[in-house]
mmCIF file of all heavy atoms in Angstrom:
data_model
loop_
_atom_site.group_PDB
_atom_site.id
_atom_site.type_symbol
_atom_site.label_atom_id
_atom_site.label_comp_id
_atom_site.label_asym_id
_atom_site.label_seq_id
_atom_site.Cartn_x
_atom_site.Cartn_y
_atom_site.Cartn_z
ATOM 1 N N MET A 169 1.944 23.644 5.702
ATOM 2 C CA MET A 169 1.894 22.957 4.409
ATOM 3 C C MET A 169 1.258 21.582 4.581
ATOM 4 O O MET A 169 1.442 20.921 5.594
ATOM 5 C CB MET A 169 3.297 22.801 3.821
ATOM 6 C CG MET A 169 3.996 24.118 3.537
ATOM 7 S SD MET A 169 3.250 25.001 2.166
ATOM 8 C CE MET A 169 4.029 24.190 0.761
ATOM 9 N N ALA A 170 0.545 21.192 3.549
ATOM 10 C CA ALA A 170 -0.086 19.870 3.567
ATOM 11 C C ALA A 170 -0.282 19.416 2.130
ATOM 12 O O ALA A 170 -0.270 20.236 1.219
ATOM 13 C CB ALA A 170 -1.439 19.936 4.262
ATOM 14 N N HIS A 171 -0.435 18.124 1.950
ATOM 15 C CA HIS A 171 -0.718 17.632 0.621
ATOM 16 C C HIS A 171 -2.182 17.907 0.300
ATOM 17 O O HIS A 171 -3.014 18.069 1.199
ATOM 18 C CB HIS A 171 -0.400 16.140 0.528
ATOM 19 C CG HIS A 171 1.035 15.875 0.189
ATOM 20 N ND1 HIS A 171 2.064 16.380 0.932
ATOM 21 C CD2 HIS A 171 1.609 15.198 -0.832
ATOM 22 C CE1 HIS A 171 3.219 16.005 0.383
ATOM 23 N NE2 HIS A 171 2.975 15.279 -0.683
ATOM 24 N N LYS A 172 -2.470 17.940 -1.019
ATOM 25 C CA LYS A 172 -3.826 18.266 -1.453
ATOM 26 C C LYS A 172 -4.314 17.251 -2.468
ATOM 27 O O LYS A 172 -3.542 16.720 -3.250
ATOM 28 C CB LYS A 172 -3.845 19.656 -2.104
ATOM 29 C CG LYS A 172 -4.030 20.789 -1.120
ATOM 30 C CD LYS A 172 -4.437 22.046 -1.858
ATOM 31 C CE LYS A 172 -4.936 23.106 -0.872
ATOM 32 N NZ LYS A 172 -5.240 24.381 -1.547
ATOM 33 N N ILE A 173 -5.624 17.033 -2.495
ATOM 34 C CA ILE A 173 -6.237 16.130 -3.459
ATOM 35 C C ILE A 173 -7.098 16.961 -4.408
ATOM 36 O O ILE A 173 -8.013 17.665 -3.974
ATOM 37 C CB ILE A 173 -7.076 15.052 -2.743
ATOM 38 C CG1 ILE A 173 -6.176 14.254 -1.785
ATOM 39 C CG2 ILE A 173 -7.738 14.136 -3.769
ATOM 40 C CD1 ILE A 173 -6.901 13.205 -0.957
ATOM 41 N N SER A 174 -6.802 16.861 -5.709
ATOM 42 C CA SER A 174 -7.506 17.675 -6.698
ATOM 43 C C SER A 174 -8.797 17.012 -7.162
ATOM 44 O O SER A 174 -9.150 15.905 -6.744
ATOM 45 C CB SER A 174 -6.600 17.903 -7.914
ATOM 46 O OG SER A 174 -6.573 16.720 -8.702
ATOM 47 N N ASP A 175 -9.472 17.673 -8.097
ATOM 48 C CA ASP A 175 -10.725 17.150 -8.642
ATOM 49 C C ASP A 175 -10.504 15.921 -9.527
ATOM 50 O O ASP A 175 -11.469 15.324 -9.998
ATOM 51 C CB ASP A 175 -11.443 18.236 -9.442
ATOM 52 C CG ASP A 175 -12.014 19.322 -8.537
ATOM 53 O OD1 ASP A 175 -12.075 19.098 -7.311
ATOM 54 O OD2 ASP A 175 -12.385 20.394 -9.057
ATOM 55 N N GLU A 176 -9.239 15.565 -9.767
ATOM 56 C CA GLU A 176 -8.943 14.341 -10.516
ATOM 57 C C GLU A 176 -9.317 13.107 -9.697
ATOM 58 O O GLU A 176 -9.368 11.990 -10.212
ATOM 59 C CB GLU A 176 -7.451 14.260 -10.854
ATOM 60 C CG GLU A 176 -6.920 15.411 -11.695
ATOM 61 C CD GLU A 176 -7.538 15.446 -13.078
ATOM 62 O OE1 GLU A 176 -7.431 14.435 -13.790
ATOM 63 O OE2 GLU A 176 -8.154 16.470 -13.424
ATOM 64 N N CYS A 177 -9.527 13.280 -8.415
ATOM 65 C CA CYS A 177 -9.870 12.178 -7.501
ATOM 66 C C CYS A 177 -11.138 11.461 -7.953
ATOM 67 O O CYS A 177 -12.145 12.085 -8.269
ATOM 68 C CB CYS A 177 -10.075 12.740 -6.084
ATOM 69 S SG CYS A 177 -10.686 11.528 -4.889
ATOM 70 N N ILE A 178 -11.051 10.110 -7.997
ATOM 71 C CA ILE A 178 -12.220 9.319 -8.385
ATOM 72 C C ILE A 178 -12.803 8.581 -7.178
ATOM 73 O O ILE A 178 -13.551 7.616 -7.310
ATOM 74 C CB ILE A 178 -11.867 8.312 -9.516
ATOM 75 C CG1 ILE A 178 -10.678 7.428 -9.109
ATOM 76 C CG2 ILE A 178 -11.545 9.059 -10.807
ATOM 77 C CD1 ILE A 178 -10.394 6.281 -10.089
ATOM 78 N N SER A 179 -12.403 9.017 -5.986
ATOM 79 C CA SER A 179 -12.911 8.451 -4.732
ATOM 80 C C SER A 179 -12.697 6.944 -4.613
ATOM 81 O O SER A 179 -13.548 6.238 -4.077
ATOM 82 C CB SER A 179 -14.404 8.775 -4.547
ATOM 83 O OG SER A 179 -14.587 10.154 -4.312
ATOM 84 N N CYS A 180 -11.543 6.472 -5.096
ATOM 85 C CA CYS A 180 -11.270 5.032 -5.004
ATOM 86 C C CYS A 180 -10.836 4.631 -3.601
ATOM 87 O O CYS A 180 -10.956 3.478 -3.203
ATOM 88 C CB CYS A 180 -10.202 4.623 -6.011
ATOM 89 S SG CYS A 180 -8.530 5.219 -5.632
ATOM 90 N N GLY A 181 -10.282 5.605 -2.853
ATOM 91 C CA GLY A 181 -9.873 5.331 -1.471
ATOM 92 C C GLY A 181 -8.504 4.710 -1.319
ATOM 93 O O GLY A 181 -8.096 4.369 -0.206
ATOM 94 N N ALA A 182 -7.756 4.569 -2.410
ATOM 95 C CA ALA A 182 -6.439 3.922 -2.363
ATOM 96 C C ALA A 182 -5.473 4.652 -1.434
ATOM 97 O O ALA A 182 -4.631 4.037 -0.788
ATOM 98 C CB ALA A 182 -5.853 3.838 -3.766
ATOM 99 N N CYS A 183 -5.580 5.936 -1.361
ATOM 100 C CA CYS A 183 -4.632 6.740 -0.579
ATOM 101 C C CYS A 183 -4.860 6.660 0.918
ATOM 102 O O CYS A 183 -3.906 6.722 1.707
ATOM 103 C CB CYS A 183 -4.743 8.203 -0.999
ATOM 104 S SG CYS A 183 -6.433 8.873 -0.859
ATOM 105 N N ALA A 184 -6.091 6.541 1.323
ATOM 106 C CA ALA A 184 -6.433 6.669 2.745
ATOM 107 C C ALA A 184 -5.635 5.732 3.649
ATOM 108 O O ALA A 184 -5.133 6.151 4.696
ATOM 109 C CB ALA A 184 -7.928 6.458 2.945
ATOM 110 N N GLY A 185 -5.472 4.479 3.218
ATOM 111 C CA GLY A 185 -4.766 3.518 4.049
ATOM 112 C C GLY A 185 -3.266 3.738 4.121
ATOM 113 O O GLY A 185 -2.605 3.187 4.995
ATOM 114 N N SER A 186 -2.741 4.557 3.205
ATOM 115 C CA SER A 186 -1.294 4.784 3.181
ATOM 116 C C SER A 186 -0.853 5.881 4.135
ATOM 117 O O SER A 186 0.328 6.022 4.423
ATOM 118 C CB SER A 186 -0.853 5.163 1.762
ATOM 119 O OG SER A 186 -1.309 6.459 1.426
ATOM 120 N N CYS A 187 -1.773 6.653 4.619
ATOM 121 C CA CYS A 187 -1.418 7.795 5.471
ATOM 122 C C CYS A 187 -1.125 7.350 6.905
ATOM 123 O O CYS A 187 -1.987 6.785 7.572
ATOM 124 C CB CYS A 187 -2.549 8.815 5.466
ATOM 125 S SG CYS A 187 -2.175 10.270 6.480
ATOM 126 N N PRO A 188 0.096 7.623 7.389
ATOM 127 C CA PRO A 188 0.496 7.193 8.733
ATOM 128 C C PRO A 188 -0.213 7.941 9.858
ATOM 129 O O PRO A 188 -0.224 7.477 11.001
ATOM 130 C CB PRO A 188 2.004 7.449 8.761
ATOM 131 C CG PRO A 188 2.206 8.556 7.788
ATOM 132 C CD PRO A 188 1.194 8.315 6.697
ATOM 133 N N VAL A 189 -0.798 9.079 9.531
ATOM 134 C CA VAL A 189 -1.466 9.860 10.581
ATOM 135 C C VAL A 189 -2.979 9.980 10.349
ATOM 136 O O VAL A 189 -3.656 10.815 10.960
ATOM 137 C CB VAL A 189 -0.835 11.269 10.702
ATOM 138 C CG1 VAL A 189 0.600 11.173 11.199
ATOM 139 C CG2 VAL A 189 -0.882 12.027 9.380
ATOM 140 N N ASP A 190 -3.500 9.129 9.445
ATOM 141 C CA ASP A 190 -4.943 9.103 9.163
ATOM 142 C C ASP A 190 -5.531 10.467 8.804
ATOM 143 O O ASP A 190 -6.605 10.831 9.291
ATOM 144 C CB ASP A 190 -5.711 8.525 10.366
ATOM 145 C CG ASP A 190 -5.657 7.009 10.392
ATOM 146 O OD1 ASP A 190 -5.499 6.404 9.315
ATOM 147 O OD2 ASP A 190 -5.758 6.427 11.491
ATOM 148 N N ALA A 191 -4.788 11.199 7.962
ATOM 149 C CA ALA A 191 -5.246 12.539 7.599
ATOM 150 C C ALA A 191 -6.212 12.544 6.420
ATOM 151 O O ALA A 191 -6.810 13.565 6.112
ATOM 152 C CB ALA A 191 -4.042 13.420 7.267
ATOM 153 N N ILE A 192 -6.354 11.392 5.750
ATOM 154 C CA ILE A 192 -7.191 11.348 4.549
ATOM 155 C C ILE A 192 -8.541 10.695 4.827
ATOM 156 O O ILE A 192 -8.613 9.611 5.386
ATOM 157 C CB ILE A 192 -6.480 10.573 3.419
ATOM 158 C CG1 ILE A 192 -5.103 11.183 3.144
ATOM 159 C CG2 ILE A 192 -7.323 10.606 2.141
ATOM 160 C CD1 ILE A 192 -4.286 10.416 2.115
ATOM 161 N N SER A 193 -9.602 11.390 4.420
ATOM 162 C CA SER A 193 -10.939 10.834 4.617
ATOM 163 C C SER A 193 -11.802 11.148 3.403
ATOM 164 O O SER A 193 -11.465 12.008 2.584
ATOM 165 C CB SER A 193 -11.584 11.432 5.873
ATOM 166 O OG SER A 193 -11.652 12.832 5.759
ATOM 167 N N GLU A 194 -12.922 10.445 3.281
ATOM 168 C CA GLU A 194 -13.809 10.659 2.150
ATOM 169 C C GLU A 194 -14.597 11.943 2.349
ATOM 170 O O GLU A 194 -15.216 12.154 3.388
ATOM 171 C CB GLU A 194 -14.768 9.468 1.995
ATOM 172 C CG GLU A 194 -15.560 9.538 0.704
ATOM 173 C CD GLU A 194 -16.270 8.221 0.381
ATOM 174 O OE1 GLU A 194 -16.336 7.351 1.263
ATOM 175 O OE2 GLU A 194 -16.758 8.080 -0.759
ATOM 176 N N GLY A 195 -14.542 12.791 1.341
ATOM 177 C CA GLY A 195 -15.273 14.049 1.425
ATOM 178 C C GLY A 195 -16.451 14.050 0.472
ATOM 179 O O GLY A 195 -16.919 12.995 0.068
ATOM 180 N N ASP A 196 -16.873 15.214 0.072
ATOM 181 C CA ASP A 196 -18.025 15.357 -0.801
ATOM 182 C C ASP A 196 -17.584 15.236 -2.261
ATOM 183 O O ASP A 196 -17.111 16.196 -2.854
ATOM 184 C CB ASP A 196 -18.669 16.723 -0.553
ATOM 185 C CG ASP A 196 -20.024 16.849 -1.223
ATOM 186 O OD1 ASP A 196 -20.574 15.817 -1.675
ATOM 187 O OD2 ASP A 196 -20.536 17.978 -1.302
ATOM 188 N N GLY A 197 -17.699 14.038 -2.827
ATOM 189 C CA GLY A 197 -17.327 13.820 -4.215
ATOM 190 C C GLY A 197 -15.867 13.499 -4.447
ATOM 191 O O GLY A 197 -15.479 13.125 -5.549
ATOM 192 N N LYS A 198 -15.041 13.658 -3.429
ATOM 193 C CA LYS A 198 -13.625 13.300 -3.537
ATOM 194 C C LYS A 198 -13.056 13.129 -2.129
ATOM 195 O O LYS A 198 -13.696 13.513 -1.152
ATOM 196 C CB LYS A 198 -12.842 14.367 -4.299
ATOM 197 C CG LYS A 198 -12.773 15.722 -3.593
ATOM 198 C CD LYS A 198 -11.861 16.688 -4.361
ATOM 199 C CE LYS A 198 -11.635 17.959 -3.560
ATOM 200 N NZ LYS A 198 -10.638 18.849 -4.193
ATOM 201 N N TYR A 199 -11.851 12.541 -2.075
ATOM 202 C CA TYR A 199 -11.197 12.401 -0.780
ATOM 203 C C TYR A 199 -10.490 13.715 -0.430
ATOM 204 O O TYR A 199 -10.137 14.498 -1.305
ATOM 205 C CB TYR A 199 -10.212 11.225 -0.803
ATOM 206 C CG TYR A 199 -10.889 9.907 -0.468
ATOM 207 C CD1 TYR A 199 -11.897 9.408 -1.289
ATOM 208 C CD2 TYR A 199 -10.551 9.192 0.669
ATOM 209 C CE1 TYR A 199 -12.551 8.231 -0.977
ATOM 210 C CE2 TYR A 199 -11.192 7.997 0.980
ATOM 211 C CZ TYR A 199 -12.197 7.525 0.160
ATOM 212 O OH TYR A 199 -12.838 6.363 0.473
ATOM 213 N N VAL A 200 -10.320 13.948 0.862
ATOM 214 C CA VAL A 200 -9.708 15.197 1.303
ATOM 215 C C VAL A 200 -8.611 14.928 2.336
ATOM 216 O O VAL A 200 -8.662 13.948 3.082
ATOM 217 C CB VAL A 200 -10.753 16.156 1.926
ATOM 218 C CG1 VAL A 200 -11.703 16.686 0.873
ATOM 219 C CG2 VAL A 200 -11.526 15.480 3.037
ATOM 220 N N VAL A 201 -7.623 15.818 2.357
ATOM 221 C CA VAL A 201 -6.540 15.740 3.332
ATOM 222 C C VAL A 201 -6.797 16.773 4.422
ATOM 223 O O VAL A 201 -7.032 17.947 4.138
ATOM 224 C CB VAL A 201 -5.174 16.036 2.671
ATOM 225 C CG1 VAL A 201 -4.070 16.058 3.722
ATOM 226 C CG2 VAL A 201 -4.858 15.007 1.594
ATOM 227 N N ASN A 202 -6.749 16.326 5.658
ATOM 228 C CA ASN A 202 -6.877 17.255 6.778
ATOM 229 C C ASN A 202 -5.541 17.974 6.938
ATOM 230 O O ASN A 202 -4.540 17.382 7.353
ATOM 231 C CB ASN A 202 -7.229 16.480 8.060
ATOM 232 C CG ASN A 202 -7.423 17.403 9.253
ATOM 233 O OD1 ASN A 202 -6.863 18.495 9.318
ATOM 234 N ND2 ASN A 202 -8.226 16.956 10.203
ATOM 235 N N ALA A 203 -5.513 19.260 6.601
ATOM 236 C CA ALA A 203 -4.272 20.026 6.603
ATOM 237 C C ALA A 203 -3.674 20.174 8.002
ATOM 238 O O ALA A 203 -2.471 20.384 8.151
ATOM 239 C CB ALA A 203 -4.506 21.403 5.997
ATOM 240 N N ASP A 204 -4.497 20.065 9.010
ATOM 241 C CA ASP A 204 -4.005 20.205 10.380
ATOM 242 C C ASP A 204 -3.294 18.945 10.853
ATOM 243 O O ASP A 204 -2.454 18.991 11.748
ATOM 244 C CB ASP A 204 -5.153 20.512 11.338
ATOM 245 C CG ASP A 204 -5.760 21.886 11.088
ATOM 246 O OD1 ASP A 204 -5.015 22.782 10.646
ATOM 247 O OD2 ASP A 204 -6.965 22.047 11.330
ATOM 248 N N THR A 205 -3.638 17.815 10.237
ATOM 249 C CA THR A 205 -3.063 16.530 10.652
ATOM 250 C C THR A 205 -1.891 16.110 9.774
ATOM 251 O O THR A 205 -0.935 15.499 10.256
ATOM 252 C CB THR A 205 -4.149 15.433 10.592
ATOM 253 O OG1 THR A 205 -5.305 15.879 11.294
ATOM 254 C CG2 THR A 205 -3.641 14.136 11.221
ATOM 255 N N CYS A 206 -1.953 16.438 8.484
ATOM 256 C CA CYS A 206 -0.926 16.029 7.517
ATOM 257 C C CYS A 206 0.463 16.497 7.932
ATOM 258 O O CYS A 206 0.656 17.652 8.301
ATOM 259 C CB CYS A 206 -1.285 16.615 6.143
ATOM 260 S SG CYS A 206 -0.063 16.285 4.850
ATOM 261 N N ILE A 207 1.432 15.560 7.853
ATOM 262 C CA ILE A 207 2.819 15.896 8.192
ATOM 263 C C ILE A 207 3.686 15.994 6.934
ATOM 264 O O ILE A 207 4.910 16.023 7.017
ATOM 265 C CB ILE A 207 3.421 14.848 9.162
ATOM 266 C CG1 ILE A 207 3.308 13.436 8.574
ATOM 267 C CG2 ILE A 207 2.730 14.919 10.533
ATOM 268 C CD1 ILE A 207 4.032 12.356 9.386
ATOM 269 N N ASP A 208 3.016 16.033 5.751
ATOM 270 C CA ASP A 208 3.716 16.212 4.474
ATOM 271 C C ASP A 208 4.740 15.117 4.175
ATOM 272 O O ASP A 208 5.794 15.400 3.609
ATOM 273 C CB ASP A 208 4.417 17.577 4.446
ATOM 274 C CG ASP A 208 3.668 18.580 3.567
ATOM 275 O OD1 ASP A 208 2.790 18.141 2.800
ATOM 276 O OD2 ASP A 208 3.952 19.771 3.654
ATOM 277 N N CYS A 209 4.431 13.903 4.522
ATOM 278 C CA CYS A 209 5.398 12.812 4.322
ATOM 279 C C CYS A 209 5.446 12.355 2.860
ATOM 280 O O CYS A 209 6.456 11.837 2.407
ATOM 281 C CB CYS A 209 5.058 11.632 5.214
ATOM 282 S SG CYS A 209 3.544 10.760 4.738
ATOM 283 N N GLY A 210 4.331 12.534 2.132
ATOM 284 C CA GLY A 210 4.296 12.160 0.722
ATOM 285 C C GLY A 210 3.932 10.708 0.439
ATOM 286 O O GLY A 210 3.919 10.297 -0.713
ATOM 287 N N ALA A 211 3.643 9.945 1.473
ATOM 288 C CA ALA A 211 3.333 8.521 1.304
ATOM 289 C C ALA A 211 2.120 8.288 0.412
ATOM 290 O O ALA A 211 2.062 7.305 -0.330
ATOM 291 C CB ALA A 211 3.105 7.875 2.663
ATOM 292 N N CYS A 212 1.167 9.176 0.428
ATOM 293 C CA CYS A 212 -0.070 9.004 -0.325
ATOM 294 C C CYS A 212 0.088 9.266 -1.820
ATOM 295 O O CYS A 212 -0.636 8.702 -2.640
ATOM 296 C CB CYS A 212 -1.139 9.938 0.229
ATOM 297 S SG CYS A 212 -0.609 11.675 0.384
ATOM 298 N N GLU A 213 1.028 10.124 -2.172
ATOM 299 C CA GLU A 213 1.170 10.563 -3.564
ATOM 300 C C GLU A 213 1.243 9.422 -4.566
ATOM 301 O O GLU A 213 0.555 9.426 -5.582
ATOM 302 C CB GLU A 213 2.437 11.408 -3.719
ATOM 303 C CG GLU A 213 2.225 12.884 -3.521
ATOM 304 C CD GLU A 213 3.507 13.670 -3.747
ATOM 305 O OE1 GLU A 213 3.842 13.895 -4.918
ATOM 306 O OE2 GLU A 213 4.158 14.024 -2.750
ATOM 307 N N GLY A 214 2.087 8.431 -4.286
ATOM 308 C CA GLY A 214 2.284 7.326 -5.207
ATOM 309 C C GLY A 214 1.146 6.336 -5.258
ATOM 310 O O GLY A 214 1.078 5.493 -6.145
ATOM 311 N N GLU A 215 0.234 6.422 -4.301
ATOM 312 C CA GLU A 215 -0.895 5.486 -4.240
ATOM 313 C C GLU A 215 -2.026 5.873 -5.171
ATOM 314 O O GLU A 215 -2.851 5.050 -5.541
ATOM 315 C CB GLU A 215 -1.442 5.416 -2.807
ATOM 316 C CG GLU A 215 -0.443 4.944 -1.763
ATOM 317 C CD GLU A 215 0.031 3.526 -2.033
ATOM 318 O OE1 GLU A 215 -0.781 2.698 -2.478
ATOM 319 O OE2 GLU A 215 1.223 3.268 -1.817
ATOM 320 N N CYS A 216 -2.081 7.141 -5.552
ATOM 321 C CA CYS A 216 -3.222 7.628 -6.333
ATOM 322 C C CYS A 216 -3.122 7.240 -7.808
ATOM 323 O O CYS A 216 -2.169 7.615 -8.493
ATOM 324 C CB CYS A 216 -3.324 9.144 -6.213
ATOM 325 S SG CYS A 216 -4.721 9.817 -7.128
ATOM 326 N N PRO A 217 -4.122 6.512 -8.349
ATOM 327 C CA PRO A 217 -4.089 6.069 -9.742
ATOM 328 C C PRO A 217 -4.284 7.208 -10.741
ATOM 329 O O PRO A 217 -3.973 7.045 -11.932
ATOM 330 C CB PRO A 217 -5.238 5.056 -9.834
ATOM 331 C CG PRO A 217 -6.186 5.473 -8.769
ATOM 332 C CD PRO A 217 -5.317 5.997 -7.638
ATOM 333 N N THR A 218 -4.790 8.334 -10.301
ATOM 334 C CA THR A 218 -5.007 9.446 -11.230
ATOM 335 C C THR A 218 -4.028 10.603 -11.004
ATOM 336 O O THR A 218 -4.144 11.648 -11.640
ATOM 337 C CB THR A 218 -6.454 9.994 -11.136
ATOM 338 O OG1 THR A 218 -6.633 10.599 -9.842
ATOM 339 C CG2 THR A 218 -7.479 8.897 -11.311
ATOM 340 N N GLY A 219 -3.101 10.439 -10.075
ATOM 341 C CA GLY A 219 -2.134 11.502 -9.805
ATOM 342 C C GLY A 219 -2.771 12.751 -9.222
ATOM 343 O O GLY A 219 -2.290 13.861 -9.431
ATOM 344 N N ALA A 220 -3.837 12.545 -8.450
ATOM 345 C CA ALA A 220 -4.578 13.700 -7.929
ATOM 346 C C ALA A 220 -3.945 14.328 -6.689
ATOM 347 O O ALA A 220 -4.328 15.426 -6.295
ATOM 348 C CB ALA A 220 -6.016 13.278 -7.596
ATOM 349 N N ILE A 221 -2.977 13.614 -6.105
ATOM 350 C CA ILE A 221 -2.402 14.141 -4.853
ATOM 351 C C ILE A 221 -1.081 14.839 -5.102
ATOM 352 O O ILE A 221 -0.161 14.279 -5.673
ATOM 353 C CB ILE A 221 -2.196 13.004 -3.826
ATOM 354 C CG1 ILE A 221 -3.507 12.211 -3.652
ATOM 355 C CG2 ILE A 221 -1.750 13.589 -2.483
ATOM 356 C CD1 ILE A 221 -3.385 11.056 -2.684
ATOM 357 N N THR A 222 -0.999 16.075 -4.666
ATOM 358 C CA THR A 222 0.212 16.870 -4.859
ATOM 359 C C THR A 222 0.567 17.611 -3.577
ATOM 360 O O THR A 222 -0.278 17.829 -2.711
ATOM 361 C CB THR A 222 0.022 17.926 -5.973
ATOM 362 O OG1 THR A 222 -1.146 18.695 -5.673
ATOM 363 C CG2 THR A 222 -0.151 17.261 -7.322
ATOM 364 N N ALA A 223 1.828 18.018 -3.486
ATOM 365 C CA ALA A 223 2.254 18.851 -2.377
ATOM 366 C C ALA A 223 1.635 20.223 -2.586
ATOM 367 O O ALA A 223 1.519 20.686 -3.717
ATOM 368 C CB ALA A 223 3.763 18.952 -2.337
ATOM 369 N N ASP A 224 1.233 20.861 -1.531
ATOM 370 C CA ASP A 224 0.571 22.161 -1.627
ATOM 371 C C ASP A 224 1.544 23.223 -2.144
ATOM 372 O O ASP A 224 2.684 23.251 -1.752
ATOM 373 C CB ASP A 224 0.043 22.568 -0.249
ATOM 374 C CG ASP A 224 -1.032 23.631 -0.366
ATOM 375 O OD1 ASP A 224 -1.356 24.026 -1.502
ATOM 376 O OD2 ASP A 224 -1.545 24.047 0.682
HETATM 377 FE FE1 SF4 B 591 -0.918 11.573 5.049
HETATM 378 FE FE2 SF4 B 591 1.646 11.868 4.376
HETATM 379 FE FE3 SF4 B 591 -0.283 12.161 2.517
HETATM 380 FE FE4 SF4 B 591 0.010 13.998 4.453
HETATM 381 S S1 SF4 B 591 1.513 13.541 2.822
HETATM 382 S S2 SF4 B 591 -1.940 13.106 3.732
HETATM 383 S S3 SF4 B 591 0.647 12.734 6.203
HETATM 384 S S4 SF4 B 591 0.238 10.252 3.609
#
């Protein structure tokens, strides 16, 4: 299980710095969570201004 970033993402980058394991990076048109690295802590969820991050 890993958190996911939907198409609501506006690529602001607010979430990336909140991840303790650096699982979030800029992808093609939106930010993406590396499912292999994510530990499902949920720290990023509250950082997103558009609510694009959800638990898988
Ligand atoms: Fe990183 Fe935690 Fe968000 Fe997973 S849930 S991407 S580990 S901040």
Side-chain angles (χ1 to χ4, degrees):
M169 298 290 278
H171 274 55
K172 273 196 167 175
I173 301 177
S174 77
D175 289 346
E176 300 295 303
C177 173
I178 55 172
S179 291
C180 70
C183 56
S186 71
C187 181
V189 294
D190 280 334
I192 305 176
S193 58
E194 189 167 12
D196 191 13
K198 65 175 188 173
Y199 273 62
V200 291
V201 176
N202 182 333
D204 293 329
T205 309
C206 177
I207 55 173
D208 255 346
C209 70
C212 51
E213 269 182 79
E215 300 298 323
C216 181
T218 67
I221 308 179
T222 53
D224 199 1

